[in-house]
Amino acid sequence: MASIKMIHSLCEAGGEGSPSNPVKFKGQDYKDLRNTLLDEGREFVDETFPANLQSLGELEETTAEELKEVEWLRPREISRRASFVVDGTSRFDFKQGDVGNCWFLSAIGALTLHKSLMMQVVPLDQSFKDDYAGIFHFRFWRFGKWVDVVIDDLLPIRGKRLVSVSTNSQKEFWAPLLEKAYAKICGSYADMIAGNPPEALKDFSGGVHMSYVLSKSKPDLWDVMDRAIQCQTMMGCGTFGGKKGKEIFSEFGLVDGHAFAVTGAQQVESDGNKVNLVRIWNPWGEGEWNGAWNDKSELWRTVRRDVRRECLRVCNDGEFWMTMEDFCDYFEELDICCDSPNFVDDDAECLWDCSLKEGRWEVGESAGGCDNKNEEFWTNPQYRLTIKGKKGHKNVLLSLMQKPDEKYRSKVEYHYIGFTIYKLPPKTPKGHLPYSASENIQLIKRSVFSSTRELIELHSLEAGEYLIVPCTYDPDKTASFLLTIYSKAEAEAQVDGGHLRPSRQKAARTQ
């Protein structure tokens, strides 16, 4: 698999925020805390995420009286045989609990297929036996930097079962503890309700994310998926909601408006014909497709015995196969997340450069909105990109991600964001371009605007120097953002600058 070369990064290798030196979330140092606890013979109680109803939040379909029944226990109080990991980590170790976070759990299912990433997110040198102090930690990529999240191991229990994700073996607790760490990032367990797999996939890797609307799928989508598997990507998907989703649920056994993980894709030969099959996993641990090529389908008798045995090793585990055609008909969207964009085309050996830039739109300073005919637009942050050569068709991928100031995930309101790309004439002076210079540059592309956490677009740019202007649709919206530019190494891309104060004073707004 080709790699990514970081040309400008928020955190250099080994620096704070890198995989080997993550930022300490809420300033909590896992090693220091653990050593102190062991010296004092105490078990950790996390005051920054206390074991109470505030940390649990308002769960869907759970009454106030039922919430009062919740108690918080440590795994060793739940099971005498409590273990962090038993025989490795797998998507079959757990299933969803009362928290409506299938988007997050489906992403965990995809994560378990990639052991190096799994070890980054879930440090495996943790135990309930040796030097146990009731403290654990997990790592997530958050807006350009890796963070280390410390938790205690008090888990919410009601009616003798976990309120959160449950453990299938009744004794393996890495998944419930991982969920608790992410709940701490989100603000509470309830703040994890509702979402899309790409958010968690990104937070597990910091990688490139692409979404495909399956009803408008590209003719080469199967090739894209095949390359994605070769590149060791994580993949998720979701079913239709609303009336259409209800009809699918009743007829074919699928869950409407639900997130799944894509765990494989394989071409088999059936009666002399090649059939493209997709393997999908339901984080409920049950609820499977009952159409063509389901676990009990007679169609499996038309393939070689060794292929059938390999594909159907376990039944009734929430995982199933279906044809690529049925996948595109009955699922709404496919999400792919990888550390490089190599899966997007057939240039699988290409090396990509990656540059990350932090920025912020500030009311009255650098939040000019999207109207490039307006002088205020040119107060937005600006970034320059130099393309010295080109190979292939799509050679630049742009990602614009909002970084919310809100502590609680459920309260975040994303602005409509986008960006505009201009081609600059040769020898354009460096620095922040003012409105007066806008007539001399060529508009190349104005992106769609979307109220999403991350906006991603692929572009084909010829050799030359470009100006990228990220902005909100409406002016005077304050927010932080992360701009990531991936370019094929042959392009020799360089990113200069960011938001530099224009030399002139900003004109007053008029109504």
Side-chain angles (χ1 to χ4, degrees):
M1 179 178 66
S3 61
I4 285 280
K5 181 175 73 173
M6 305 296 293
I7 55 177
H8 289 65
S9 176
L10 297 182
C11 47
E12 300 298 331
E16 187 178 42
S18 64
S20 61
N21 186 21
V23 174
K24 298 172 180 61
F25 188 65
K26 293 186 178 294
Q28 293 175 302
D29 188 299
Y30 169 73
K31 289 184 178 179
D32 287 351
L33 286 170
R34 183 170 175 270
N35 289 338
T36 298
L37 292 164
L38 290 172
D39 288 344
E40 298 176 355
R42 294 187 297 114
E43 294 179 352
F44 185 49
V45 176
D46 186 9
E47 295 180 356
T48 70
F49 195 63
N52 59 23
L53 291 180
Q54 182 179 348
S55 295
L56 199 59
E58 297 181 7
L59 300 180
E60 293 178 332
E61 301 180 3
T62 303
T63 67
E65 291 301 317
E66 289 173 332
L67 287 175
K68 291 179 181 178
E69 298 173 1
V70 173
E71 58 179 332
W72 297 74
L73 300 177
R74 299 186 188 272
R76 297 205 303 190
E77 297 175 293
I78 299 170
S79 171
R80 294 179 180 177
R81 299 182 297 160
S83 298
F84 187 63
V85 173
V86 178
D87 297 329
T89 56
S90 164
R91 60 194 180 279
F92 303 117
D93 291 344
F94 62 93
K95 60 183 177 181
Q96 188 175 348
D98 292 343
V99 181
N101 59 354
C102 59
W103 62 277
F104 175 71
L105 299 179
S106 65
I108 296 179
L111 175 67
T112 60
L113 296 171
H114 306 289
K115 299 307 179 186
S116 60
L117 264 181
M118 186 70 184
M119 291 172 64
Q120 170 65 24
V121 175
V122 184
L124 297 179
D125 57 344
Q126 306 184 81
S127 170
F128 291 102
K129 297 177 182 178
D130 300 330
D131 294 330
Y132 168 77
I135 185 170
F136 291 83
H137 69 130
F138 300 85
R139 302 188 185 113
F140 306 105
W141 184 94
R142 299 288 287 177
F143 309 106
K145 295 182 178 181
W146 283 91
V147 298
D148 191 74
V149 182
V150 174
I151 58 167
D152 61 33
D153 61 351
L154 289 160
L155 296 172
I157 303 287
R158 187 173 70 85
K160 297 184 178 181
R161 70 181 185 89
L162 287 164
V163 172
S164 58
V165 61
S166 61
T167 168
N168 288 335
S169 69
Q170 307 301 315
K171 63 179 182 179
E172 188 173 25
F173 287 91
W174 68 265
L177 293 171
L178 171 61
E179 183 189 47
K180 180 172 184 177
Y182 201 78
K184 183 175 177 177
I185 282 277
C186 294
S188 74
Y189 280 89
D191 279 279
M192 297 178 69
I193 294 173
N196 295 305
E199 182 176 345
L201 295 175
K202 187 88 174 185
D203 288 352
F204 288 157
S205 65
V208 182
H209 156 243
M210 295 291 290
S211 288
Y212 300 88
V213 178
L214 294 174
S215 61
K216 303 176 183 177
S217 60
K218 300 167 50 176
D220 66 340
L221 184 59
W222 172 259
D223 295 328
V224 171
M225 292 182 69
D226 187 51
R227 289 193 297 269
I229 291 172
Q230 297 301 317
C231 291
Q232 299 183 16
T233 64
M234 296 182 289
M235 291 190 282
C237 59
T239 50
F240 292 95
K243 183 178 179 181
K244 183 173 183 179
K246 296 289 185 185
E247 293 171 351
I248 295 173
F249 172 74
S250 61
E251 185 176 357
F252 290 108
L254 294 176
V255 185
D256 61 293
H258 190 53
F260 297 74
V262 176
T263 59
Q266 185 168 337
Q267 188 176 81
V268 301
E269 190 168 298
S270 170
D271 287 337
N273 299 312
K274 292 182 178 180
V275 180
N276 293 331
L277 298 177
V278 181
R279 189 176 66 192
I280 300 165
W281 174 75
N282 184 347
W284 284 3
E286 57 186 7
E288 298 187 10
W289 163 258
N290 58 28
W293 295 94
N294 70 75
D295 288 354
K296 299 179 181 179
S297 173
E298 291 295 319
L299 289 169
W300 286 107
R301 297 186 178 276
T302 66
V303 302
R304 291 198 334 251
R305 180 179 299 178
D306 60 324
V307 174
R308 180 170 70 248
R309 185 167 53 248
E310 177 64 24
C311 290
L312 300 178
R313 283 181 294 178
V314 181
C315 295
N316 301 319
D317 53 4
E319 192 167 66
F320 54 88
W321 293 90
M322 64 194 311
T323 66
M324 185 68 182
E325 293 76 15
D326 283 338
F327 178 57
C328 290
D329 283 343
Y330 297 110
F331 281 78
E332 186 172 17
E333 191 172 67
L334 169 69
D335 299 293
I336 300 177
C337 189
C338 187
D339 68 349
S340 86
N342 283 44
F343 62 87
V344 299
D345 59 25
D346 58 4
D347 190 7
E349 299 303 316
C350 177
L351 179 70
W352 291 74
D353 289 333
C354 174
S355 175
L356 288 79
K357 290 286 187 179
E358 276 188 308
R360 186 169 174 85
W361 299 292
E362 289 279 3
V363 173
E365 296 182 3
S366 56
C370 71
D371 185 2
N372 66 337
K373 302 298 184 183
N374 189 317
E375 188 171 3
E376 292 187 354
F377 171 81
W378 295 93
T379 67
N380 281 306
Q382 299 179 7
Y383 301 87
R384 295 201 185 196
L385 172 65
T386 302
I387 305 292
K388 295 185 178 180
K390 182 183 177 184
K391 179 182 178 182
H393 179 51
K394 301 290 187 180
N395 63 333
V396 173
L397 186 148
L398 299 178
S399 161
L400 180 62
M401 174 180 281
Q402 298 189 64
K403 183 179 179 181
D405 298 325
E406 174 59 57
K407 174 183 176 182
Y408 295 96
R409 177 179 173 274
S410 63
K411 295 181 180 180
V412 172
E413 294 184 4
Y414 289 117
H415 302 303
Y416 279 84
I417 58 170
F419 43 78
T420 306
I421 304 174
Y422 299 91
K423 189 169 186 180
L424 301 175
K427 299 181 180 180
T428 300
K430 299 292 184 182
H432 193 102
L433 288 186
Y435 173 67
S436 58
S438 62
E439 294 182 359
N440 301 321
I441 62 179
Q442 177 187 357
L443 174 64
I444 298 297
K445 172 73 175 180
R446 181 179 287 113
S447 74
V448 299
F449 280 79
S450 178
S451 59
T452 182
R453 187 174 90 144
E454 183 181 20
L455 178 67
I456 302 161
E457 288 191 357
L458 267 170
H459 294 280
S460 180
L461 299 181
E462 302 295 334
E465 188 173 30
Y466 296 85
L467 184 72
I468 302 171
V469 184
C471 62
T472 58
Y473 185 81
D474 295 314
D476 295 333
K477 299 292 185 182
T478 294
S480 297
F481 65 84
L482 179 69
L483 178 68
T484 308
I485 303 174
Y486 297 88
S487 59
K488 289 191 175 179
E490 291 82 355
E492 298 182 33
Q494 297 175 346
V495 179
D496 299 316
H499 178 245
L500 305 175
R501 301 279 186 201
S503 58
R504 61 175 176 79
Q505 289 188 345
K506 181 177 176 294
R509 279 185 58 84
T510 58
Q511 299 299 323

